[in-house]
């Protein structure tokens, strides 16, 4: 037991660091700098000033960050869900795939002509800095949530271009050069990874949903663990058969996002917490690999700043505008999407691939990637809140909801409808007594306004944005939507002789 005290000190330091990282959210919200910037900077400084802190081996970094990225992508897919993805599928695919390749071409041209990098090295650096990270954007926004499709496009784009960027980088490093034969090989390898990853993701997501609904487990705590294990199986299977495991888990998350399953809320909370932990771990581990002495060299700092500025001010706006030309976004939404393509952990991970592969001049190239990410996260990211105000985007404050009220049921309910009162709907401004008794055998169970539970009586008057829980047959959903969420109905909604609600 002689190592009890050192082990205790290790646990104390690790837990203290984790607690500080969680509490840093408040500080980040005040200074309007994305939280990942603090993790990255703190780890880089620690590795510089504390002799006992060493950068882990590149292979270890790659594996740890890859697992963290799996957790982040699956949670991102859960958050988007199939309905939101389907509504913005075309712009998401355009930005995630075509936008990534357009960014690579433009950034590679700058690296080659402005800084004398060979075309192969320029393409490698451009590939590393092409993926985006919406978590950086939303960490700056804090409790402010942007309405419309812009947030969905940003989230979906990142989920798509992360696998695209990783697959492209792996294929390029495997090819080792740029030539006609290499282009064919890279193209075939890339398409193969995307196709297999998508197939495994669709099949894996459907099998996971089927198992969640079909097979009961003896303990509530086992349900999130089963989902986590299955997600890792999907990633591993796709990787073994030469597909993109990252794309597979992202697609699986999208398919599960809107689906109903036992303990679904608990599963979502579990994976959201894991994704937050994964983000902290990824930036800390990547920060340990940063050599601050390398970053101040002129041949690292200048190319990094120029590329970062070019991405933010020229490449992203131009490539994004071409990809979103037919998306029918409002001008302010389009401008925000073009501005908010911030960089995050994936570019640094791809930069570490260069170190692992012993690419010529790899430390310098990795330093350039670090400077680009730092520019994007700190300078560009800190302007996101100002951009939302300048563009007059519809932003709502999402307050935390620490208390919940509900019941646990043995069987899946098929007659529970959660609705939100829309402006101009028949229910907007009407009391429950003024509405007819709703469809037969239907009644209002809960009314929530401004995160407060209202008493449900005949005199309870509904208004826009109220959340209403109605118990009714499943086939009455369209009729209930017409009452609460639309401005037209098939028959009169006001009763001459209302009964009890």
């Amino acid at each position: 037991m002689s190592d009890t005290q050192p082990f205790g000190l290790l646990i104390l330091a690790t837990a203290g660091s984790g607690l500080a990282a969680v509490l840093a959210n408040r500080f980040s919200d005040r200074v309007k700098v994305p939280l990942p910037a603090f993790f990255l900077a703190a780890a880089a400084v620690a590795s510089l000033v504390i002799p006992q802190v060493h950068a882990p081996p590149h292979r270890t970094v790659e594996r740890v960050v890859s697992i963290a990225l799996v957790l982040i992508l699956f949670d991102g897919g859960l958050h988007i869900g199939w309905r939101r993805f389907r509504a913005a599928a075309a712009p998401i695919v355009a930005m995630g795939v075509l936008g990534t390749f357009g960014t690579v071409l433009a950034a590679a041209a700058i690296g080659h002509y402005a800084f004398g990098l060979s075309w192969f090295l320029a393409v490698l650096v451009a590939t590393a800095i092409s993926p985006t990270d919406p978590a950086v954007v939303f960490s700056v926004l804090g409790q402010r949530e942007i309405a419309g499709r812009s947030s969905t496009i940003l989230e979906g784009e990142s989920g798509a271009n992360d696998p695209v960027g990783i697959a492209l980088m792996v294929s390029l490093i495997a090819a080792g050069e740029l030539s006609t034969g290499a282009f064919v090989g890279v193209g075939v390898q890339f398409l193969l990874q995307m196709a297999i990853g998508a197939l495994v993701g669709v099949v894996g997501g459907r099998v996971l949903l089927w198992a969640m609904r079909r097979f009961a487990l003896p303990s509530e705590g086992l349900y999130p663990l089963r989902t986590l294990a299955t997600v890792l199986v999907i990633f591993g299977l796709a990787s073994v058969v030469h597909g993109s495991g990252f794309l597979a888990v992202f697609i699986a998350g999208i398919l599960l996002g809107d689906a109903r399953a036992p303990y679904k809320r608990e599963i979502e909370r579990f994976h959201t917490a894991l994704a937050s932990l994964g983000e902290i771990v990824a930036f800390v581990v990547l920060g340990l690999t940063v050599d601050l002495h390398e970053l101040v060299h002129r041949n690292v700092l200048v190319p990094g700043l120029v590329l970062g500025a070019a991405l933010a001010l020229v490449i992203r706006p131009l490539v994004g505008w071409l990809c979103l030309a037919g998306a029918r976004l409002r001008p302010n939404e389009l401008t925000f999407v073009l501005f908010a393509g911030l960089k995050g952990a994936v570019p640094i991970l791809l930069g570490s691939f260069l170190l692992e592969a012993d690419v010529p001049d790899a430390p310098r190239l990795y330093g350039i990637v670090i400077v680009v990410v730092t520019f994007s996260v700190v300078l560009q990211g800190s302007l996101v809140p100002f951009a939302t105000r300048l563009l007059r985007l519809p932003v709502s404050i999402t307050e935390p909801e620490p208390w919940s009220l509900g019941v646990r049921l043995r069987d899946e309910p098929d007659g529970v409808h959660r609705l939100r009162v829309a402006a101009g709907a028949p229910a907007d401004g009407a009391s429950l007594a003024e509405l007819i008794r709703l469809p037969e055998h239907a009644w209002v169970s809960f009314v929530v306004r401004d995160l407060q539970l209202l008493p449900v009586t005949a005199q309870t008057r509904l208004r826009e944005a109220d959340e209403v829980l109605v118990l009714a047959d499943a086939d009455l959903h369209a009729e209930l939507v017409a009452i609460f969420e639309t401005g037209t109905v098939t028959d009169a909604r006001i009763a001459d002789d209302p009964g009890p609600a």
Side-chain angles (χ1 to χ4, degrees):
M1 302 297 292
S2 60
D3 65 340
T4 300
Q5 187 175 14
F7 179 70
L9 289 174
L10 176 62
I11 295 297
L12 177 62
T14 303
S17 300
L19 182 61
V22 173
L23 297 178
N25 280 275
R26 300 287 297 178
F27 179 71
S28 173
D29 186 57
R30 288 180 180 274
V31 300
K32 308 305 179 187
V33 174
L35 188 60
F38 294 107
F39 301 150
L40 189 69
V45 171
S47 65
L48 176 66
V49 301
I50 304 176
Q52 292 80 5
V53 177
H54 303 286
H58 298 310
R59 181 60 59 88
T60 301
V61 172
E62 177 185 333
R63 290 174 176 173
V64 170
V65 178
S66 293
I67 294 299
L69 185 59
V70 167
L71 302 177
I72 293 170
L73 285 174
F74 180 71
D75 178 69
L78 280 177
H79 185 258
I80 295 174
W82 175 246
R83 293 175 187 172
R84 291 179 64 204
F85 178 81
R86 183 174 56 185
I92 286 175
V93 173
M95 290 293 291
V97 180
L98 299 180
T100 300
F101 281 99
T103 300
V104 169
L105 292 175
I110 294 177
H112 176 71
Y113 290 112
F115 303 108
L117 295 176
S118 68
W119 273 113
F120 181 60
L121 296 183
V123 170
L124 289 178
V125 172
T127 301
I129 61 178
S130 61
T132 58
D133 186 353
V136 177
V137 177
F138 300 130
S139 69
V140 179
L141 293 175
Q143 296 176 349
R144 293 173 294 274
E145 184 173 303
I146 300 174
R149 289 192 298 164
S150 58
S151 60
T152 302
I153 292 173
L154 286 171
E155 291 179 84
E157 174 199 1
S158 175
N161 67 22
D162 286 353
V164 169
I166 293 172
L168 183 58
M169 177 65 82
V170 171
S171 301
L172 286 170
I173 291 177
E177 61 177 351
L178 293 182
S179 63
T180 303
F183 275 119
V184 173
V186 168
V188 171
Q189 183 68 17
F190 172 79
L191 293 175
L192 185 66
Q193 289 193 50
M194 293 294 101
I196 294 176
L199 177 62
V200 173
V202 170
V203 175
R206 292 189 178 278
V207 170
L208 174 56
L209 179 59
W210 175 79
M212 291 167 63
R213 290 173 170 173
R214 192 70 177 267
F215 296 106
L217 296 174
S219 171
E220 174 182 338
L222 294 176
Y223 283 81
L225 296 179
R226 177 176 64 182
T227 306
L228 172 61
T230 307
V231 168
L232 295 176
V233 167
I234 291 173
F235 172 78
L237 178 61
S239 301
V240 167
V241 296
H242 305 289
S244 172
F246 299 103
L247 180 61
V249 297
F250 180 62
I251 291 177
I254 290 175
L255 295 179
L256 263 66
D258 299 325
R260 296 171 62 181
Y263 300 102
K264 179 72 180 305
R265 184 63 61 86
E266 289 77 7
I267 291 172
E268 290 174 340
R269 290 172 178 167
F270 175 78
H271 281 281
T272 297
L274 280 182
S276 299
L277 177 62
E279 182 181 18
I280 294 173
V281 171
F283 275 95
V284 169
V285 171
L286 290 169
L288 294 175
T289 67
V290 176
D291 184 354
L292 295 178
H293 295 297
E294 182 74 25
L295 300 186
V296 298
H297 291 168
R298 181 180 178 85
N299 65 350
V300 172
L301 185 61
V302 173
L305 292 176
V306 171
L307 281 172
L311 284 170
L313 302 177
V314 181
I315 298 175
R316 168 80 180 187
L318 179 59
V319 172
W321 181 78
L322 293 174
C323 292
L324 298 176
R328 298 180 181 178
L329 291 171
R330 293 193 295 269
N332 58 343
E333 286 187 314
L334 176 61
T335 303
F336 182 73
V337 171
L338 299 182
F339 172 77
L342 306 185
K343 309 305 173 183
V346 174
I348 304 178
L349 173 64
L350 295 181
S352 70
F353 285 4
L354 305 181
L355 298 174
E356 175 68 19
D358 289 330
V359 172
D361 211 10
R364 179 197 174 201
L365 303 182
Y366 185 57
I368 292 174
V369 172
I370 296 295
V371 173
V372 171
V373 173
T374 303
F375 175 92
S376 178
V377 172
V378 177
L379 296 181
Q380 189 181 356
S382 61
L383 295 176
V384 168
F386 173 75
T388 60
R389 294 192 298 270
L390 181 66
L391 296 172
R392 297 182 179 179
L393 289 169
V395 177
S396 60
I397 303 298
T398 56
E399 296 290 343
E401 302 176 11
W403 302 99
S404 63
L405 179 65
V407 295
R408 307 303 290 267
L409 304 173
R410 184 191 64 185
D411 300 319
E412 178 185 4
D414 59 0
V416 179
H417 308 265
R418 184 175 180 179
L419 306 160
R420 182 182 291 270
V421 178
D428 184 17
S431 70
L432 298 181
E434 291 171 342
L435 291 174
I436 66 170
R437 298 169 188 167
L438 304 176
E440 188 177 3
H441 306 305
W443 63 92
V444 175
S445 179
F446 289 109
V447 177
V448 178
R449 177 180 300 158
D450 298 329
L451 306 182
Q452 298 291 326
L453 189 65
L454 300 183
V456 179
T457 68
Q459 288 72 40
T460 302
R461 189 169 297 276
L462 302 176
R463 69 186 189 194
E464 180 186 357
D466 284 352
E467 290 189 46
V468 182
L469 193 71
V470 180
L471 304 182
D473 291 339
D475 56 1
L476 295 176
H477 184 73
E479 192 170 354
L480 292 172
V481 168
I483 298 173
F484 293 95
E485 298 188 346
T486 66
T488 59
V489 292
T490 56
D491 54 3
R493 286 295 142 207
I494 303 299
D496 297 328
D497 182 23

